[in-house]
Short mmCIF file of all heavy atoms in Angstrom, two decimals:
data_model
loop_
_atom_site.label_atom_id
_atom_site.label_comp_id
_atom_site.label_asym_id
_atom_site.label_seq_id
_atom_site.Cartn_x
_atom_site.Cartn_y
_atom_site.Cartn_z
N ALA A 378 -25.83 -3.78 -6.40
CA ALA A 378 -24.47 -3.88 -6.91
C ALA A 378 -24.39 -4.67 -8.20
O ALA A 378 -23.51 -4.42 -9.02
CB ALA A 378 -23.56 -4.52 -5.86
N HIS A 381 -24.95 -2.06 -10.82
CA HIS A 381 -24.19 -0.83 -10.66
C HIS A 381 -22.70 -1.03 -10.61
O HIS A 381 -21.94 -0.09 -10.78
CB HIS A 381 -24.67 -0.06 -9.42
CG HIS A 381 -25.95 0.69 -9.67
ND1 HIS A 381 -25.98 1.89 -10.31
CD2 HIS A 381 -27.23 0.35 -9.41
CE1 HIS A 381 -27.25 2.29 -10.42
NE2 HIS A 381 -28.02 1.38 -9.88
N THR A 382 -22.23 -2.26 -10.38
CA THR A 382 -20.79 -2.51 -10.44
C THR A 382 -20.23 -2.19 -11.81
O THR A 382 -19.10 -1.77 -11.94
CB THR A 382 -20.50 -3.99 -10.16
OG1 THR A 382 -21.23 -4.37 -9.02
CG2 THR A 382 -19.04 -4.22 -9.92
N PHE A 383 -21.06 -2.43 -12.84
CA PHE A 383 -20.54 -2.29 -14.19
C PHE A 383 -20.64 -0.89 -14.73
O PHE A 383 -20.12 -0.61 -15.80
CB PHE A 383 -21.30 -3.24 -15.12
CG PHE A 383 -21.04 -4.68 -14.81
CD1 PHE A 383 -22.00 -5.44 -14.18
CD2 PHE A 383 -19.82 -5.26 -15.14
CE1 PHE A 383 -21.75 -6.78 -13.87
CE2 PHE A 383 -19.58 -6.58 -14.83
CZ PHE A 383 -20.55 -7.34 -14.20
N ILE A 384 -21.30 -0.01 -13.98
CA ILE A 384 -21.46 1.34 -14.49
C ILE A 384 -20.21 2.12 -14.15
O ILE A 384 -19.82 2.23 -12.99
CB ILE A 384 -22.71 2.01 -13.90
CG1 ILE A 384 -23.95 1.21 -14.33
CG2 ILE A 384 -22.81 3.45 -14.38
CD1 ILE A 384 -25.24 1.75 -13.79
N LYS A 385 -19.58 2.69 -15.18
CA LYS A 385 -18.28 3.33 -14.99
C LYS A 385 -18.43 4.58 -14.14
O LYS A 385 -19.36 5.35 -14.28
CB LYS A 385 -17.70 3.72 -16.34
CG LYS A 385 -17.26 2.55 -17.14
CD LYS A 385 -16.50 2.99 -18.36
CE LYS A 385 -16.12 1.76 -19.15
NZ LYS A 385 -15.47 2.08 -20.39
N LYS A 386 -17.45 4.76 -13.26
CA LYS A 386 -17.38 5.99 -12.49
C LYS A 386 -16.56 6.99 -13.27
O LYS A 386 -15.86 6.66 -14.21
CB LYS A 386 -16.68 5.76 -11.13
CG LYS A 386 -17.03 4.49 -10.46
CD LYS A 386 -18.28 4.63 -9.64
CE LYS A 386 -18.71 3.32 -9.00
NZ LYS A 386 -19.06 2.26 -9.94
N LYS A 530 -21.30 -12.30 -8.50
CA LYS A 530 -20.29 -12.03 -7.47
C LYS A 530 -20.65 -10.76 -6.71
O LYS A 530 -20.58 -10.71 -5.49
CB LYS A 530 -18.92 -11.87 -8.14
CG LYS A 530 -17.81 -11.67 -7.16
CD LYS A 530 -16.47 -11.77 -7.84
CE LYS A 530 -15.40 -11.41 -6.82
NZ LYS A 530 -14.18 -11.04 -7.43
N ALA A 531 -21.09 -9.73 -7.44
CA ALA A 531 -21.38 -8.45 -6.79
C ALA A 531 -22.57 -8.59 -5.84
O ALA A 531 -22.64 -7.92 -4.82
CB ALA A 531 -21.65 -7.39 -7.84
N ASP B 45 -6.31 -9.69 -15.89
CA ASP B 45 -7.12 -8.95 -14.91
C ASP B 45 -7.50 -9.90 -13.78
O ASP B 45 -8.33 -10.79 -13.95
CB ASP B 45 -8.38 -8.41 -15.60
CG ASP B 45 -9.15 -7.46 -14.71
OD1 ASP B 45 -9.02 -7.56 -13.47
OD2 ASP B 45 -9.88 -6.63 -15.25
N MET B 46 -6.85 -9.69 -12.64
CA MET B 46 -7.05 -10.65 -11.57
C MET B 46 -8.35 -10.43 -10.81
O MET B 46 -8.67 -11.20 -9.92
CB MET B 46 -5.85 -10.61 -10.63
CG MET B 46 -4.64 -11.15 -11.37
SD MET B 46 -3.18 -11.33 -10.41
CE MET B 46 -2.57 -9.67 -10.43
N THR B 47 -9.12 -9.38 -11.16
CA THR B 47 -10.45 -9.28 -10.56
C THR B 47 -11.43 -10.16 -11.31
O THR B 47 -12.54 -10.39 -10.85
CB THR B 47 -10.97 -7.83 -10.59
OG1 THR B 47 -11.09 -7.42 -11.95
CG2 THR B 47 -10.05 -6.90 -9.87
N ARG B 48 -11.03 -10.64 -12.50
CA ARG B 48 -11.95 -11.46 -13.29
C ARG B 48 -11.67 -12.95 -13.15
O ARG B 48 -12.56 -13.76 -13.37
CB ARG B 48 -11.83 -11.10 -14.76
CG ARG B 48 -12.39 -9.73 -15.11
CD ARG B 48 -12.43 -9.58 -16.61
NE ARG B 48 -12.84 -8.24 -17.00
CZ ARG B 48 -12.90 -7.81 -18.25
NH1 ARG B 48 -12.55 -8.62 -19.23
NH2 ARG B 48 -13.28 -6.59 -18.51
N GLY B 100 -9.33 -6.97 2.36
CA GLY B 100 -9.90 -6.10 1.33
C GLY B 100 -10.47 -6.88 0.17
O GLY B 100 -11.07 -6.31 -0.72
N ARG B 212 -9.66 0.85 -17.41
CA ARG B 212 -10.37 0.07 -16.40
C ARG B 212 -10.14 0.63 -15.02
O ARG B 212 -11.05 0.75 -14.21
CB ARG B 212 -9.88 -1.39 -16.42
CG ARG B 212 -10.67 -2.27 -17.33
CD ARG B 212 -10.32 -3.70 -17.19
NE ARG B 212 -10.35 -4.32 -18.50
CZ ARG B 212 -9.91 -5.55 -18.77
NH1 ARG B 212 -9.39 -6.28 -17.81
NH2 ARG B 212 -9.97 -6.02 -19.98
N ILE B 213 -8.89 0.99 -14.72
CA ILE B 213 -8.58 1.50 -13.39
C ILE B 213 -9.27 2.83 -13.17
O ILE B 213 -9.78 3.14 -12.10
CB ILE B 213 -7.05 1.65 -13.21
CG1 ILE B 213 -6.38 0.28 -13.26
CG2 ILE B 213 -6.74 2.35 -11.91
CD1 ILE B 213 -4.88 0.33 -13.18
N SER B 215 -12.05 3.89 -14.64
CA SER B 215 -13.51 3.78 -14.59
C SER B 215 -14.00 3.12 -13.33
O SER B 215 -15.12 3.35 -12.91
CB SER B 215 -14.02 2.96 -15.78
OG SER B 215 -13.54 3.49 -16.97
N PHE B 216 -13.20 2.26 -12.74
CA PHE B 216 -13.64 1.53 -11.55
C PHE B 216 -12.58 1.68 -10.47
O PHE B 216 -11.94 0.72 -10.08
CB PHE B 216 -13.88 0.06 -11.87
CG PHE B 216 -14.88 -0.14 -12.98
CD1 PHE B 216 -14.45 -0.47 -14.25
CD2 PHE B 216 -16.22 0.04 -12.76
CE1 PHE B 216 -15.35 -0.64 -15.29
CE2 PHE B 216 -17.13 -0.13 -13.79
CZ PHE B 216 -16.70 -0.47 -15.05
N PRO B 217 -12.40 2.91 -9.96
CA PRO B 217 -11.25 3.14 -9.08
C PRO B 217 -11.29 2.34 -7.78
O PRO B 217 -10.25 2.02 -7.24
CB PRO B 217 -11.31 4.64 -8.80
CG PRO B 217 -12.68 5.08 -9.18
CD PRO B 217 -13.17 4.12 -10.20
N GLU B 218 -12.49 1.99 -7.29
CA GLU B 218 -12.51 1.22 -6.05
C GLU B 218 -12.19 -0.23 -6.27
O GLU B 218 -11.88 -0.95 -5.34
CB GLU B 218 -13.89 1.29 -5.38
CG GLU B 218 -14.29 2.65 -4.91
CD GLU B 218 -15.30 3.27 -5.85
OE1 GLU B 218 -16.06 2.50 -6.48
OE2 GLU B 218 -15.31 4.49 -5.94
N GLN B 219 -12.31 -0.69 -7.52
CA GLN B 219 -12.13 -2.13 -7.75
C GLN B 219 -10.69 -2.50 -8.05
O GLN B 219 -10.34 -3.66 -8.01
CB GLN B 219 -12.99 -2.58 -8.93
CG GLN B 219 -14.47 -2.53 -8.62
CD GLN B 219 -15.30 -2.96 -9.81
OE1 GLN B 219 -14.87 -3.79 -10.60
NE2 GLN B 219 -16.47 -2.38 -9.94
N TYR B 220 -9.87 -1.50 -8.40
CA TYR B 220 -8.51 -1.81 -8.82
C TYR B 220 -7.48 -1.05 -8.01
O TYR B 220 -7.73 0.08 -7.58
CB TYR B 220 -8.30 -1.43 -10.29
CG TYR B 220 -9.03 -2.32 -11.27
CD1 TYR B 220 -10.23 -1.92 -11.83
CD2 TYR B 220 -8.52 -3.56 -11.64
CE1 TYR B 220 -10.91 -2.72 -12.72
CE2 TYR B 220 -9.19 -4.37 -12.52
CZ TYR B 220 -10.38 -3.95 -13.08
OH TYR B 220 -11.05 -4.74 -13.95
N VAL B 221 -6.32 -1.67 -7.85
CA VAL B 221 -5.16 -0.98 -7.31
C VAL B 221 -4.60 -0.11 -8.43
O VAL B 221 -4.57 -0.50 -9.58
CB VAL B 221 -4.10 -2.01 -6.85
CG1 VAL B 221 -2.76 -1.37 -6.62
CG2 VAL B 221 -4.58 -2.72 -5.62
N GLN B 222 -4.14 1.10 -8.05
CA GLN B 222 -3.75 2.04 -9.09
C GLN B 222 -2.36 1.75 -9.62
O GLN B 222 -1.44 2.53 -9.44
CB GLN B 222 -3.77 3.46 -8.52
CG GLN B 222 -5.09 3.85 -7.91
CD GLN B 222 -5.88 4.66 -8.88
OE1 GLN B 222 -5.37 5.09 -9.90
NE2 GLN B 222 -7.13 4.87 -8.56
N VAL B 238 -3.39 -6.42 -13.74
CA VAL B 238 -4.09 -5.46 -12.89
C VAL B 238 -4.82 -6.25 -11.83
O VAL B 238 -5.22 -7.40 -12.06
CB VAL B 238 -5.09 -4.57 -13.66
CG1 VAL B 238 -4.40 -3.53 -14.46
CG2 VAL B 238 -6.00 -5.40 -14.52
N SER B 239 -4.96 -5.63 -10.68
CA SER B 239 -5.49 -6.39 -9.54
C SER B 239 -6.32 -5.51 -8.64
O SER B 239 -6.19 -4.29 -8.65
CB SER B 239 -4.31 -6.98 -8.77
OG SER B 239 -4.69 -7.29 -7.46
N GLY B 240 -7.16 -6.15 -7.85
CA GLY B 240 -7.96 -5.40 -6.89
C GLY B 240 -7.35 -5.35 -5.51
O GLY B 240 -7.82 -4.64 -4.64
N VAL B 241 -6.29 -6.16 -5.32
CA VAL B 241 -5.61 -6.17 -4.02
C VAL B 241 -4.13 -5.90 -4.28
O VAL B 241 -3.67 -6.06 -5.41
CB VAL B 241 -5.78 -7.53 -3.30
CG1 VAL B 241 -7.25 -7.77 -3.00
CG2 VAL B 241 -5.22 -8.65 -4.13
#
Side-chain angles (χ1 to χ4, degrees):
Chain A
H381 281 280
T382 312
F383 294 106
I384 298 179
K385 289 189 182 176
K386 320 274 177 297
K530 183 170 174 200
Chain B
D45 189 336
M46 292 186 278
T47 62
R48 289 190 185 176
R212 269 188 218 170
I213 295 176
S215 306
F216 303 103
E218 295 104 29
Q219 291 179 31
Y220 289 100
V221 166
Q222 305 261 348
V238 285
S239 159
V241 297

